[in-house]
Amino acid sequence: MLRAMYERLAEAYGPQHWWPGEAPLEITLGAYLTQNTSWRAVERSLGNLRNRGLLDAAGLLATPEEELHVLLRPSGYMVRKSAAIRAFLGFLFAEAGGSFERLAAMRTEVLRPKLLALPGVGPETADAILLYALGHEAMVVDEYLRRVTVRHGLTEERSSYEVIQRLAWSAFAGERGKARVRHANEFHALIVMVGKEHCGPKPRCAGCPLACFPALLPERSI
Ligand code: SF4
């Protein structure tokens, strides 16, 4: 059913063109900064970095911590987030000489655990970096996907990240290589879209492209 839901969303919303045309560093920064905040707030922090010419790994790493706090303030938790970003940049230079291309050349099964070992990186952030910044086969599971799959009876409220991720991959079992990456990219973007438009903490099923699929409602708060 999830594949049919994906196709319905693609039909309703069209291509999402994620991540909005940005370079790997900006995508990675976005993956960190978006934790616990809105994308609008992330854009303000990224704008601050852009205005200071700091969308550059070496320049960013050389920026004094206090200055970074000020630049990242709009997206909140700036002390924690700037420490996590600096740790990532240190990792990027230690593992790949500062090159995202070289980092992307590592195998997913080697790279993912290394990312997960960094501060401030959970599975969602690791998979977002792998998929959108590095072009790896990775499936991002977020709160929107959890809500949609629970409300349509495909998973349970307490299902783990890995269980939901396996379910999502099962929708693309027949795909290989780049097609798999492309579908994972679109799938997450479309789920975010329907989540924002309809499947928030309170579902707004009227007019939702997925309203034609059976759902386990009346509403429960998830
Ligand atoms: S808003 Fe309703 S129809 Fe849409 S995805 Fe959520 S539960 Fe399904």
Side-chain angles (χ1 to χ4, degrees):
M1 180 159 96
L2 203 51
R3 178 62 182 242
M5 292 167 90
Y6 165 63
E7 283 167 7
R8 178 74 197 95
L9 289 174
E11 193 180 86
Y13 294 131
Q16 296 299 296
H17 305 296
W18 270 33
W19 203 288
E22 311 297 356
L25 175 63
E26 197 162 340
I27 295 169
T28 302
L29 295 173
Y32 277 95
L33 296 175
T34 197
Q35 295 169 4
N36 304 310
T37 195
S38 69
W39 190 253
R40 195 167 300 169
V42 173
E43 280 175 338
R44 288 211 297 276
S45 290
L46 290 175
N48 286 345
L49 296 176
R50 192 176 298 112
N51 293 340
R52 296 290 292 272
L54 286 175
L55 288 177
D56 159 75
L60 203 51
L61 192 55
T63 303
E65 212 165 318
E66 298 69 29
E67 193 180 333
L68 203 52
H69 292 170
V70 175
L71 296 169
L72 301 185
R73 188 188 297 276
S75 40
Y77 306 96
M78 73 268 190
V79 174
R80 204 180 71 203
K81 287 181 181 177
S82 60
I85 287 169
R86 288 168 73 88
F88 172 83
L89 293 169
F91 167 78
L92 177 68
F93 279 91
E95 290 283 339
S99 159
F100 275 89
E101 234 170 62
R102 258 190 266 166
L103 198 66
M106 288 171 72
R107 294 204 323 276
T108 310
E109 55 274 30
V110 174
L111 186 50
R112 191 172 188 271
K114 287 178 186 264
L115 289 173
L116 286 171
L118 292 170
V121 180
E124 185 181 337
T125 303
D127 288 329
I129 293 171
L130 284 166
L131 177 63
Y132 290 105
L134 303 172
H136 279 231
E137 283 183 32
M139 178 63 75
V140 181
V141 175
D142 66 354
E143 196 51 32
Y144 292 127
L145 181 58
R146 180 178 293 277
R147 283 195 195 116
V148 169
T149 54
V150 169
R151 285 171 177 167
H152 285 272
L154 301 174
T155 48
E156 294 173 358
E157 287 185 36
R158 289 173 185 273
S159 294
S160 67
Y161 186 97
E162 289 70 26
V163 165
I164 301 174
Q165 189 177 52
R166 271 199 299 278
L167 171 78
W169 271 134
S170 72
F172 306 103
E175 312 290 349
R176 293 286 171 269
K178 284 192 175 153
R180 217 164 135 80
V181 174
R182 183 167 47 78
H183 285 302
N185 183 322
E186 279 301 293
F187 179 75
H188 176 57
L190 289 165
I191 289 290
V192 170
M193 187 73 177
V194 75
K196 283 187 175 161
E197 298 264 305
H198 292 281
C199 212
K202 259 198 153 189
R204 297 184 301 276
C205 301
C208 176
L210 300 183
C212 51
F213 293 91
L216 297 178
L217 301 167
E219 308 163 356
R220 301 181 278 179
S221 219
I222 295 173

